[in-house]
């Protein structure tokens, strides 16, 4: 039986603005197994990013259970969430989110500097390996502004990989890229998956969702369909 | 450590990337830290620095007040701080708890000095009589030759003196032959046996440290009226080194007991009505590490006030930079969110942001050292003009460097903590949302709060500056009763030049005649001293026909000897009777002219003072002087106090009841000239003239009368000017702060303003809206600042003269200055907001 990394049950997220309640997530159930490549899709405002924020411990749910790698993490305090986020999760953002004042190497090293006790030599080694893994080692002394969008996203992938996280969370990783560079990044993610990485990706582009082995479709804060892409397409068409 | 280095490198990179911000912040901090470091340099040098001697903490002073320089009678509150020389010997013999107990002359004296080998003309240099164990007490080693020993301080032993290192350096270029050479001091040959160590500046901080240290045994040889064995005249300070483990409280009681034992043997305390004073007579032992702390007492309140004011300016600067840092922090919120998304703990982010602030403030601190150096030089020249021997260096000492570094760290933390806290509370989820999505800006309340804080503090400083400036103006423009136009004052010392009392009359006649013969000189006078030069002679007055005054009766009056033209030169008007004339000679009947305050004090019931007699040695002397004239009041002493009762006597008349007791007062020290306009080369002519009379009669100082008077307000002027500078600086900083926040708010609200204008808002509506907000902050600052300023007035009240603490005019002026500055600071961004193109603004959104 496959080992689950993420288990979410009855998750709710409600935003309160003045007197208005907005239900962003309404009773989500989701399990992601180790080594799995899951794509989450759905129309704008369906709750994809909210769900990804909660999975990535960037936000907390209003209600429900969330187990990450066997640990209950739904109600952790800020500091504990930061620590687990740093150790267990690698983020790839739509807008790359590299820090312009840091070199490529420093950007990749950044999450490692927040990890207590890791020696400098170990950090350097991981940075080099990660950048080599995304073919960006030759640009390690450059600044993000000196790179193309595709290269920046590859550096962002290297940064996500550097901490050896349990899961990579990608939020529209090709959203700010042209199709050619988008394909390159998707290929990279596919390779990582083939090497055993667990990936959860938010995308609204079916072409890229097709790279995943499982799709989760959200609508109005609920999972309305889940399964392999072909089966889902068949269901939708049928 | 690794992380810290990384943070510092990142901080430097950030600062390099924003040269505008960095320059503004560093300059602001440099001004704030530099001003504080400059004033701390003075505070440290004057108030905190120990004497450069061995183990200064083991030094104890017997006494706690200034009381300089030669006093008879009973001291205030029967608290002894200045002693007769024989009293010193008595205390020394009776207090074995002191390893050494040294005595030193309370007021240094000017000496006419000439090196037999190196000086063509005699110089006027400062000297101090000290006990033979003076240098042993301080634990000093000589800079050259040897220092004085107790065996040098014995009557009949060879005449020796120790030269100060600074004098050796300044006057004789460290010439090694000075040691062992003979100097003529006040016409008496003295061998220079050695030089003090380079860092030593004497037993007290002063703007004119002694050039020579001489044993007390030489004192009778140096003048005509020795104080050495006058048992009733107090003129030396005492400083001792106590034995380890000595408790001060019992020692103080013991010294007080010894003091009373001695006092009981002098005639003053043998009178029946002095017994209570005798029983109350005591000493207070004080730490002697800083030496004789007279300057500390004089400057303490002024320097503390300046330190507090400069700290307030730094606080305002901090608030300004906190606002700048906050704006930058908000601009970098996306980056903060990314860092948090990558697992950065909040405290880690705060630490990184604080590192940036501290790096910035350290850069400001380094630049501040340059400001401090320049500021200290300016301060020293303002506070101690004409003091080439001042033992305070403008270059920062290790303590000042440490202070500047500590202050920089503290400053960085103060202005960095709030922005770091606010910025670190970004939401990590914002990293997912991208940079274009805005969230609620939690910084604006803090920004506005900082502006209100700045405005309130600025008002406090402006009110303080206004009060002190008004006080200075009242001090300077009060009616001193003097004429200063074309008046010159110079000082001489016939006593140092070796004149005997019987030689004085021809000397004075010669001086008057020769100066009168100089072209352009209208009037010439000689006097014991002149108005507002910091000198005073006082006596207890006994009016003829009245009973003997009690021990603490207020019968004191100041007095001086003057020549006939003195009143006209100074500006005294003879109101009744006559002035001092050429007919008032040494042999004519004793006369005195009194001032209005004298008449008011001693003849309060409207009695006619003219023709009345008085003396200064009790009832038995009350027929000594006849009052022959009354002159108007002129201020001679403290410019803040009312004119004292004064009487004026001819140059050479002595009281018939005590003809031998007045020798010292026969030596005039001041010459005043009244000229017809500006006389070119008068100073050099005067010096030549006096040298032609006697080569040992150098001019000790030569100054305009108005300059001498202006010198009385040095400290007040320094404090008022600095407070005004700080007040204006605070106002500018607060205005810049208000401008910055308003401009930032306008930039953030560009689209809102565009929408308003698209919906029909006129430009005046937009200007009004922005201005209203800016003025609201300023008004809130005023509302807080006014009561705080009124509360703080008590801290400057002791510095004020002729100004009420709650001066409505000053308050209104300060309020107006702040309001107008706020209006200008708000109007610039308001006008910019009103010029927003609605189309552009909406497109931006």
């Amino acid at each position: 039986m496959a080992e689950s990394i993420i288990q979410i049950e009855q998750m709710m997220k409600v935003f309160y603005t003045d007197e208005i309640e907005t239900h962003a997530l309404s009773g989500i159930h989701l399990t992601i197994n180790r080594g799995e490549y899951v794509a989450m899709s759905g129309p704008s405002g369906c709750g994809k990013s909210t769900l990804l924020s909660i999975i990535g411990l960037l936000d907390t749910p209003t209600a429900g259970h969330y187990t990450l790698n066997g640990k209950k993490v739904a109600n952790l305090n800020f500091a504990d969430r930061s620590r687990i986020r740093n150790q267990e999760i690698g983020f790839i953002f739509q807008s790359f989110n590299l820090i312009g004042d840091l070199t490529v190497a420093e950007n990749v090293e950044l999450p490692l500097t927040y990890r207590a006790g890791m020696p400098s030599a170990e950090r350097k080694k991981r940075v080099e390996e990660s950048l080599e893994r995304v073919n960006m080692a030759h640009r390690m002394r450059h600044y993000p502004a000196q790179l193309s969008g595709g290269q920046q996203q590859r550096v962002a992938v290297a940064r996500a990989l550097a901490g050896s996280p349990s899961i990579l969370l990608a939020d529209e990783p090709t959203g700010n890229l042209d199709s050619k560079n988008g394909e390159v990044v998707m290929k990279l993610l596919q390779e990582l998956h083939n090497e055993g990485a667990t990936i959860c990706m938010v995308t609204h582009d079916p072409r890229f969702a097709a790279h995943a082995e499982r799709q989760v479709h959200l609508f109005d804060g609920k999972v309305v369909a889940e399964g392999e892409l072909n089966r889902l397409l068949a269901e939708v068409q049928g | 450590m690794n992380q810290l280095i990384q943070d510092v490198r990142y901080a430097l990179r950030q600062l390099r990337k924003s040269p505008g911000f960095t320059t503004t912040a560093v300059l602001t901090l440099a001004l704030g830290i530099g001003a504080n470091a400059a004033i701390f340099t003075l505070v440290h040098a004057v108030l905190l620095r120990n004497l450069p001697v061995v183990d200064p903490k083991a030094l104890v002073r017997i006494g706690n007040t200034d009381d300089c320089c030669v006093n008879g009678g009973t001291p205030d509150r029967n608290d002894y701080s200045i002693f007769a020389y024989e009293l010193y010997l008595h205390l020394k013999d009776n207090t074995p708890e002191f390893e050494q107990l040294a005595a030193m002359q309370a007021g240094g004296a000017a000496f006419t000095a000439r090196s037999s080998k190196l000086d063509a003309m005699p110089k006027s240099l400062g000297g101090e009589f000290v006990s033979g164990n003076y240098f042993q007490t301080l634990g000093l080693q000589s800079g050259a030759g040897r220092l004085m020993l107790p065996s040098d301080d014995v009557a009949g032993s060879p005449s020796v003196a120790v030269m100060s290192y600074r004098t050796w350096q300044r006057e004789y270029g460290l010439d090694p032959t000075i040691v062992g050479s003979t100097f003529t001091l006040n016409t008496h040959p003295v061998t220079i046996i050695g030089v003090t160590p380079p860092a030593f500046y004497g037993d007290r901080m002063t703007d004119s440290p002694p050039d020579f240290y001489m044993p007390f045994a030489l004192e009778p040889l140096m003048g005509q009226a020795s104080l050495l064995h006058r048992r009733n005249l107090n003129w030396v300070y005492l400083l001792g080194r106590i034995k380890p483990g000595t408790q001060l409280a019992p020692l103080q009681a013991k010294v007080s007991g010894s003091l009373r034992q001695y006092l009981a043997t002098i005639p003053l305390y043998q009178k029946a009505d002095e017994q209570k004073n005798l029983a109350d007579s005591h000493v207070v032992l004080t730490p002697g590490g800083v030496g004789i702390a007279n300057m500390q007492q004089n400057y303490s309140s002024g320097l503390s006030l300046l330190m507090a004011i400069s700290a307030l300016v730094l606080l305002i600067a901090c608030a300004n930079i906190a606002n700048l840092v906050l704006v930058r922090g908000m601009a970098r919120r996306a980056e903060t969110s990314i860092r948090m998304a990558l697992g950065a703990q909040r405290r880690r982010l705060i630490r990184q942001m604080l590192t940036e602030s501290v790096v910035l403030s350290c850069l400001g601190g380094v630049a501040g050292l340059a400001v401090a150096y320049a500021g200290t030089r300016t301060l020293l020249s303002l506070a101690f003009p004409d003091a080439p021997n001042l033992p305070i260096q403008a270059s920062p000492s290790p303590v000042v460097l440490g202070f500047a570094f500590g202050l920089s760290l503290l400053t960085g933390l103060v202005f960095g903590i709030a922005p770091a806290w606010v910025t670190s509370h970004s939401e990590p989820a914002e990293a997912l949302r991208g940079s274009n999505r805005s969230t609620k800006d939690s910084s604006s309340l803090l920004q506005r709060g900082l502006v209100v804080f700045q405005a309130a503090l600025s008002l406090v400083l402006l009110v303080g500056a206004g009060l002190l400036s008004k006080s200075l103006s009242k001090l300077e423009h009060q009616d001193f009763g003097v004429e200063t136009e074309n008046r010159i004052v110079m000082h001489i010392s016939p006593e140092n030049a070796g004149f005997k009392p019987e030689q004085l009359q021809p000397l004075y006649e010669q001086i008057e005649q020769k100066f009168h013969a100089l072209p352009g000189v209208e009037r010439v006078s000689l006097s014991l001293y002149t108005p507002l030069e910091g000198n005073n002679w006082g006596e207890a007055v006994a009016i003829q026909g009245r009973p003997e005054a009690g021990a603490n009766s207020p019968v004191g009056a100041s007095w001086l000897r003057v020549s006939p033209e003195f009143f006209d030169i100074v500006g005294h008007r003879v109101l009744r009777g006559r002035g001092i004339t050429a007919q008032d000679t040494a042999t004519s009947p004793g006369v005195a002219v009194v001032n209005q305050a004298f008449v008011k004090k001693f003849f309060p019931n409207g009695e006619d003072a003219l023709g009345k007699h008085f003396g200064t040695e009790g009832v038995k002397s009350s027929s000594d002087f006849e009052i022959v004239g009354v002159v108007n009041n002129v201020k001679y002493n403290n410019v803040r106090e009312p004119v004292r009762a004064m009487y004026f006597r001819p140059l050479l008349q002595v009281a018939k009841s005590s003809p031998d007791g007045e020798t010292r007062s026969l030596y005039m020290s001041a010459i005043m000239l009244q000229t017809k306009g500006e006389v070119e080369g008068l100073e050099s002519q005067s010096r030549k003239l006096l040298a032609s009379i006697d080569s040992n009669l150098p001019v000790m100082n030569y100054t305009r009368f108005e300059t001498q008077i202006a010198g009385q307000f040095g400290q007040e002027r320094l404090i008022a000017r600095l407070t005004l500078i700080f007040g204006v600086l605070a106002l500018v900083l607060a205005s810049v702060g208000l401008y910055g926040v308003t401009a930032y708010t306008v930039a953030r609200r560009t689209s809102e303003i565009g929408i308003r204008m698209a919906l029909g808002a006129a430009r005046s509506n937009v200007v009004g809206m922005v201005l209203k907000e800016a003025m609201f902050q300023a008004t809130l600052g005023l509302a807080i600042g006014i009561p705080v300023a009124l509360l703080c007035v008590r801290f400057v009240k002791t510095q004020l003269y002729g100004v009420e603490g709650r001066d409505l005019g000053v308050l209104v002026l300060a309020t107006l200055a702040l309001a107008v500055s706020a209006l200008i600071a708000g109007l610039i961004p308001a006008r910019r907001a009103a010029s927003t193109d609605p189309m552009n603004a909406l497109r931006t959104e």
Side-chain angles (χ1 to χ4, degrees), chain B residues 619-678:
Chain B
V619 170
K620 68 175 189 314
S621 70
S622 62
S623 64
D624 279 352
F625 319 120
E626 181 191 347
I627 299 173
V628 295
V630 178
V631 291
N632 68 323
N633 285 340
V634 164
K635 279 204 175 177
Y636 276 72
N637 307 108
N638 193 331
V639 290
R640 290 169 174 270
E641 287 174 5
V643 175
R644 290 186 193 174
M646 293 193 79
Y647 61 94
F648 305 84
R649 294 172 56 195
L651 295 184
L652 294 165
Q653 280 187 353
V654 291
K656 60 188 178 204
S657 62
S658 55
D660 300 328
E662 295 207 293
T663 310
R664 283 176 71 84
S665 71
L666 297 177
Y667 288 89
M668 299 306 112
S669 70
I671 299 173
M672 285 189 82
L673 306 179
Q674 183 181 341
T675 62
K676 292 176 202 152
E678 196 72 25

Side-chain angles (χ1 to χ4, degrees), chain B residues 245-329:
Chain B
T246 305
Q247 297 296 310
L248 286 188
L251 180 58
Q252 181 171 301
K254 185 177 176 184
V255 177
S256 295
S258 283
L259 169 82
R260 289 190 289 271
Q261 199 182 22
Y262 174 90
L263 294 178
T265 66
I266 63 171
L268 172 69
Y269 284 98
Q270 285 164 355
K271 294 178 188 166
D273 58 358
E274 287 290 350
Q275 292 314 300
K276 187 174 180 310
N277 283 336
L278 176 63
D280 287 346
S281 291
H282 65 280
V283 297
V284 176
L285 300 190
T286 50
V290 296
I292 309 299
N294 293 350
M295 191 187 252
Q296 285 85 338
Q297 285 167 7
N298 292 338
Y299 280 81
S300 165
S301 64
L303 283 176
S304 304
L305 179 65
L306 284 180
M307 199 76 234
I309 288 170
S310 61
L312 282 186
V313 173
L314 185 60
L315 260 185
I316 293 173
C318 281
N320 236 5
I321 297 171
N323 251 337
L324 285 174
V325 173
L326 200 56
V327 170
R328 286 186 88 223

